[in-house]
Amino acid sequence: GEDVEQSLFLSVREGDSSVINCTYTDSSSTYLYWYKQEPGAGLQLLTYIFSNMDMKQDQRLTVLLNKKDKHLSLRIADTQTGDSAIYFCAESQASGGSYIPTFGRGTSLIVHP
Amino acid sequence: NAGVTQTPKFRVLKTGQSMTLLCAQDMNHEYMYWYRQDPGMGLRLIHYSVGEGTTAKGEVPDGYNVSRLKKQNFLLGLESAAPSQTSVYFCASKVGSGELFFGEGSRLTVL
């Protein structure tokens, strides 16, 4: 199975909350990230959480981490049309002294009026 | 700061042709990575480097070669391009376990 899994699509109405879910398999993951990719662009870091944290909030973004279930979620409050993008979950672990980030397949968030 | 710069941004090749993608970063990062992005497949790691003069294989290295002769540059080469290598290629760099900085991507089409 894949190391990082996330659903491929999410459609929400403008103003609603969006919740994007991610599961990972490696319990030694030290950092977990959410990246955003807008059309025709590279990925940009949205937020991240250390594995010793349960929650992180940053303005409209809330990241929840359940280490027991290896589940990560990203909640976007008051979703706007500008939030339409692909969101990638990623985890990073040390491997022989180097850090190899592993990405999920990405969740396409579609925000409609 | 330019960050991570990839050249070229677009390229069309015929099957069997060769080419090199250049990635340059001005942040003095040790780690550099080449990913390919295909619809529904997310990002797959091709090769990576943990420092000048070192390279290692990622998840999908076949058909690609890389070199890191200078710390700021990471080159991705295709010796004999195949249609299966049609993709969008992203270079990224980072320091240790920190944030990955991505280039804007290079769209390659192999006919």
Side-chain angles (χ1 to χ4, degrees), chain B residues 80-101:
Chain B
S80 178
S84 61
Q85 294 177 304
T86 293
S87 187
V88 181
Y89 292 85
F90 286 98
C91 177
S93 70
K94 71 199 302 262
V95 173
S97 57
E99 175 186 354
L100 261 178
F101 290 84

Side-chain angles (χ1 to χ4, degrees), chain A residues 8 30-31 33 35 37 40-45 86 88 92 95 97-106, chain B residues 31 33 35 37 40-43 45 48 50 88 90 94-105 107:
Chain A
L8 294 182
T30 51
Y31 294 83
Y33 307 86
Y35 283 84
Q37 184 183 32
L43 280 71
Q44 286 193 310
L45 182 67
I86 302 176
F88 289 92
S92 182
S95 173
S98 60
Y99 291 88
I100 311 298
T102 301
F103 288 82
R105 294 190 175 194
Chain B
Y31 300 101
Y33 307 83
Y35 290 90
Q37 184 178 25
M41 298 297 291
L43 289 169
L45 182 64
Y48 66 98
V50 301
V88 181
F90 286 98
K94 71 199 302 262
V95 173
S97 57
E99 175 186 354
L100 261 178
F101 290 84
F102 282 85
E104 292 190 351
R107 186 175 296 273

Side-chain angles (χ1 to χ4, degrees), chain A residues 13-79:
Chain A
R13 198 178 298 275
E14 190 174 15
D16 287 350
S17 292
S18 306
V19 180
I20 303 172
N21 295 301
C22 170
T23 58
Y24 59 98
T25 57
D26 196 323
S27 57
S28 66
S29 298
T30 51
Y31 294 83
L32 296 140
Y33 307 86
W34 284 105
Y35 283 84
K36 179 182 180 182
Q37 184 183 32
E38 296 184 350
L43 280 71
Q44 286 193 310
L45 182 67
L46 204 55
T47 187
Y48 66 94
I49 190 168
F50 295 112
S51 59
N52 62 356
M53 297 169 65
D54 297 325
M55 186 182 86
K56 181 178 181 181
Q57 189 152 3
D58 183 3
Q59 298 181 330
R60 291 191 297 123
L61 305 178
T62 303
V63 178
L64 294 177
L65 175 61
N66 181 328
K67 283 190 67 178
K68 175 176 172 290
D69 295 336
K70 300 189 185 69
H71 181 267
L72 182 74
S73 67
L74 172 69
R75 179 177 179 268
I76 305 173
D78 188 24
T79 312

Side-chain angles (χ1 to χ4, degrees), chain B:
Chain B
N1 267 349
V4 179
T5 304
Q6 295 181 226
T7 53
K9 290 186 170 41
F10 301 93
R11 184 75 188 268
V12 178
L13 289 177
K14 294 181 180 178
T15 297
Q17 287 185 318
S18 63
M19 75 157 296
T20 300
L21 295 175
L22 169 64
C23 176
Q25 52 94 3
D26 60 1
M27 298 171 283
N28 202 34
H29 285 171
E30 289 293 333
Y31 300 101
M32 296 188 74
Y33 307 83
W34 274 109
Y35 290 90
R36 60 177 289 173
Q37 184 178 25
D38 303 291
M41 298 297 291
L43 289 169
R44 291 183 291 172
L45 182 64
I46 304 171
H47 286 279
Y48 66 98
S49 168
V50 301
E52 181 179 317
T54 72
T55 63
K57 293 180 180 180
E59 180 187 354
V60 289
D62 294 342
Y64 304 95
N65 56 75
V66 287
S67 64
R68 184 104 181 262
L69 299 179
K70 293 183 179 180
K71 186 177 183 179
Q72 64 267 34
N73 295 337
F74 194 28
L75 278 64
L76 178 71
L78 286 73
E79 290 186 350
S80 178
S84 61
Q85 294 177 304
T86 293
S87 187
V88 181
Y89 292 85
F90 286 98
C91 177
S93 70
K94 71 199 302 262
V95 173
S97 57
E99 175 186 354
L100 261 178
F101 290 84
F102 282 85
E104 292 190 351
S106 297
R107 186 175 296 273
L108 174 65
T109 302
V110 183
L111 302 175

